[in-house]
Amino acid sequence: MTNYQLICGAEIHVELKTKSKMFCGCKNDPFHAPEPNIYTCPVCLGLPGGLPVPNKQAIEDTILLGLALNCEIPSLAHFDRKHYFYPDLPKGYQISQKDEPFCLGGYVDTSYGRVRLNHIHLEEDAAKMHHEMVEARKVSLIDYNRSSVPLVEIVTEPDIHSPEQAKEFLKKVRDIIRALGISDCDMEKGSMRLEANISLSPDGNLPNYKVEVKNINSFRYFANALTTESARHAKLLNQGQTPIQETRGYRADSGTTVSQRTKEDAADYRYFPDPDIPPIVISSDWIASIAKRLPELPTAKIETLAKLGIAESTAKIIVSNQEMMEYIEHVKDLNPKYVQSAANDIVNKKIDYTKLTAEVYIKTLESKMASKITDQSLLEPIIKDVLIQNPSVVADYQAGKQNALGFFVGAVMKVTSGKADAGVVNQLLKKLL
Ligand code: ZN
Ligand code: MN
């Protein structure tokens, strides 16, 4: 069997949590809507005459993401129409970006190497289809609450070479997006959706085919898709065949992929600039004002925690959990000397951070520190040590010098910084002597 190199590029779709939709004033809240099809208007229903007006907040969020992912922000961007027919797309085209997106290039570093980005563009989400049984008949229902919700798409270069690297990369991207506060990246609800472009190369060069796997809704499934596709491609290549260029769907239940359709070309979509939306000029002043929103990013946060004496593995867990991070920051503000133990306790689940406040946690630690050591099992080895190190004083005591006891109590207090309970120490000393 030949050794192949896995070549994978990722496409990451993320719904932005702006107040309103991408091109109209309808509420952007598809997951909490009390009923389907209530947050709609002529624009997001694609009715004749509806005119799109771009959402400034969504554009700023996209540029902010680009800045966080080391992208270049061009001085001009525009929206294109991407045509395809499907009931979830009422206009018959999706407003997206092809030639002049908001962010160009960029990269994310992983421990397996750098993953370069091709670009990040902004588009509108489609409506949500529900395939159900109604009165024993298979029906497809459509909910337009999601139609035209702002959707950011991050497109990478084919720089991912293992399932492990894919997982690390995707987690990093998700953590950065969450740190920016522009999306919840909830994969279960579908506010973050993944696609993988996969091929195998016998010589490290880009092969002449790629298979797109859609419908991946967890990082684990993404890694699984790479593993199963690699095996399938290797088998075909070993038989002298080239895998067909196509779109396949990931099936979580079986861990396999199934063919959906042969891949269309960009030309099939008949992209052209949307004539309803003028090009968008991005001034350096505007970029500078957006950059002010950049918070401390996860990598920097991990470094800050490491400086406080927290192990990197512990810091990573904390940084990827917003609530844990807030708790640790709160402890740090109250008293930095307790950050290290708080970090360990929170990761080892010794703190229920939803119930125990940082203030109470610190008070508990303080009272523990202040209280006397009365535990005999803790004191006995310390006392034994002191006795072994001072054989001549032990001999004095046994010869009847009672004041030798005071010497030993003093020695134990020195070792325990004065926290040993004097009564217990006296009792133990007499027993051990
Ligand atoms: Zn609308
Ligand atoms: Mn897209």
Side-chain angles (χ1 to χ4, degrees):
M1 197 172 143
T2 322
N3 274 328
Y4 299 106
Q5 188 189 25
L6 169 66
I7 309 247
C8 167
E11 285 170 28
I12 308 169
H13 281 96
V14 174
E15 282 178 352
L16 297 174
K17 51 176 184 185
T18 51
K19 285 204 178 79
S20 56
K21 289 186 179 181
M22 188 59 231
F23 296 109
C24 61
C26 289
K27 194 172 178 182
N28 169 17
D29 194 15
F31 302 124
H32 302 101
E35 272 178 69
N37 299 310
I38 54 168
Y39 303 145
T40 56
C41 73
V43 177
C44 57
L45 288 174
L47 300 183
L51 281 173
V53 178
N55 182 331
K56 190 178 175 192
Q57 185 65 53
I59 293 172
E60 292 191 350
D61 287 357
T62 306
I63 293 173
L64 182 71
L65 178 60
L67 294 172
L69 298 182
N70 314 294
C71 299
E72 183 201 320
I73 311 300
S75 53
L76 196 71
H78 77 260
F79 286 100
D80 293 290
R81 291 184 178 181
K82 178 183 181 179
H83 298 80
Y84 65 90
F85 174 77
Y86 206 64
D88 64 4
L89 191 69
K91 295 192 294 294
Y93 61 85
Q94 177 192 33
I95 304 178
S96 180
Q97 295 188 287
K98 185 172 174 286
D99 298 322
E100 291 186 296
F102 287 112
C103 315
L104 299 167
Y107 61 87
V108 174
D109 283 322
T110 72
S111 56
Y112 303 88
R114 176 165 289 185
V115 177
R116 292 167 300 152
L117 307 183
N118 181 283
H119 73 273
I120 303 173
H121 69 255
L122 181 57
E123 57 190 29
E124 57 181 340
D125 208 347
K128 178 123 180 93
M129 304 276 296
H130 296 268
H131 305 285
E132 285 177 20
M133 294 294 288
V134 172
E135 290 168 358
R137 283 191 336 167
K138 267 190 177 175
V139 296
S140 292
L141 306 170
I142 312 177
D143 180 4
Y144 287 99
N145 285 340
R146 203 183 70 178
S147 175
S148 205
V149 160
L151 193 65
V152 148
E153 183 172 340
I154 303 165
V155 181
T156 81
E157 296 290 350
D159 287 352
I160 298 168
H161 300 298
S162 70
E164 294 74 29
Q165 186 184 16
K167 268 200 241 176
E168 187 184 323
F169 165 74
L170 294 167
K171 270 188 195 152
K172 259 195 160 163
V173 170
R174 179 199 59 191
D175 290 349
I176 289 169
I177 295 171
R178 283 186 179 161
L180 296 175
I182 58 175
S183 173
D184 296 326
C185 295
D186 189 327
M187 313 246 321
E188 241 161 75
K189 284 181 180 160
S191 69
M192 183 178 193
R193 310 194 287 268
L194 311 171
E195 289 162 32
N197 287 301
I198 305 168
S199 44
L200 288 189
S201 164
D203 53 9
N205 292 324
L206 218 53
N208 59 354
Y209 80 95
K210 67 178 179 192
V211 172
E212 183 178 21
V213 180
K214 284 182 181 280
N215 195 23
I216 307 174
N217 63 0
S218 86
F219 297 156
R220 191 160 55 86
Y221 293 164
F222 193 99
N224 288 352
L226 296 194
T227 309
T228 56
E229 275 301 293
S230 293
R232 194 179 67 82
H233 296 197
K235 201 175 163 192
L236 289 166
L237 290 164
N238 285 339
Q239 293 165 356
Q241 299 175 47
T242 304
I244 299 165
Q245 176 126 337
E246 62 181 344
T247 299
R248 300 175 72 88
Y250 182 75
R251 295 285 160 87
D253 44 7
S254 58
T256 56
T257 65
V258 287
S259 182
Q260 288 181 332
R261 56 189 149 96
T262 51
K263 178 74 184 146
E264 54 288 281
D265 246 74
D268 297 335
Y269 290 123
R270 295 288 189 272
Y271 278 101
F272 68 81
D274 193 306
D276 289 335
I277 309 169
I280 290 151
V281 177
I282 309 160
S283 70
S284 49
D285 284 353
W286 192 21
I287 297 171
S289 78
I290 296 165
K292 284 194 191 123
R293 281 174 59 202
L294 273 176
E296 192 186 15
L297 291 172
T299 320
K301 276 188 190 167
I302 290 169
E303 275 168 25
T304 308
L305 292 180
K307 276 186 197 138
L308 292 165
I310 296 163
E312 200 185 307
S313 55
T314 307
K316 274 186 183 164
I317 297 171
I318 293 167
V319 168
S320 66
N321 182 314
Q322 186 75 20
E323 283 168 315
M324 278 191 188
M325 189 65 212
E326 276 166 17
Y327 196 92
I328 296 300
E329 270 167 353
H330 195 180
V331 171
K332 191 181 107 193
D333 292 343
L334 292 168
N335 194 336
K337 82 174 186 195
Y338 296 115
V339 163
Q340 204 180 342
S341 70
N344 290 329
D345 286 351
I346 206 163
V347 167
N348 295 320
K349 298 202 162 58
K350 285 182 186 160
I351 303 177
D352 180 355
Y353 54 84
T354 59
K355 294 197 186 94
L356 183 72
T357 67
E359 285 86 353
V360 173
Y361 172 73
I362 287 177
K363 280 207 182 105
T364 316
L365 278 188
E366 275 171 345
S367 67
K368 259 190 208 157
M369 302 273 276
S371 66
K372 294 289 175 196
I373 305 172
T374 54
D375 189 338
Q376 298 202 2
S377 64
L378 285 176
L379 290 172
E380 212 172 292
I382 297 170
I383 292 169
K384 277 184 180 162
D385 230 34
V386 167
L387 296 179
I388 289 161
Q389 277 165 28
N390 298 283
S392 63
V393 192
V394 172
D396 286 348
Y397 178 80
Q398 279 160 352
K401 279 195 182 172
Q402 287 295 316
N403 59 1
L405 207 61
F407 168 84
F408 287 124
V409 173
V412 172
M413 287 304 175
K414 208 173 162 191
V415 174
T416 60
S417 317
K419 287 211 196 93
D421 183 287
V424 180
V425 171
N426 263 301
Q427 236 181 321
L428 279 171
L429 268 172
K430 279 176 191 158
K431 186 184 105 188
L432 293 165
L433 279 163

